[in-house]
Amino acid sequence: MKEIEVVIDTEEIAEFFYNQLMKRGYVPSAQEVEELADIAFDYLLEKCIIDEEVE
């Protein structure tokens, strides 16, 4: 299997969740979408889909 490099930014995840929730009629706070983004990132780490690199 070929390995590729993927960069995942929690701010980008938060923006994605915010936009998707708005489309569905929800108005989340900035703190709520940041928490969702952190949870999504942790999920990807836990499932070994991504590895966290500290710069």
Side-chain angles (χ1 to χ4, degrees):
M1 184 185 295
K2 182 179 173 184
E3 186 174 314
I4 61 171
E5 184 175 330
V6 176
V7 177
I8 297 177
D9 181 1
T10 54
E11 289 180 23
E12 187 177 335
I13 295 171
E15 184 177 333
F16 177 80
F17 277 126
Y18 180 81
N19 290 329
Q20 292 299 311
L21 287 166
M22 291 292 289
K23 285 180 185 178
R24 290 166 172 79
Y26 298 98
V27 183
S29 70
Q31 183 178 0
E32 289 171 327
V33 292
E34 288 172 13
E35 288 295 326
L36 286 171
D38 287 341
I39 291 168
F41 188 82
D42 291 342
Y43 175 79
L44 296 173
L45 285 172
E46 191 171 305
K47 293 295 183 176
C48 299
I49 295 170
I50 61 171
D51 292 323
E52 186 171 19
E53 290 186 10
V54 180
E55 293 181 18

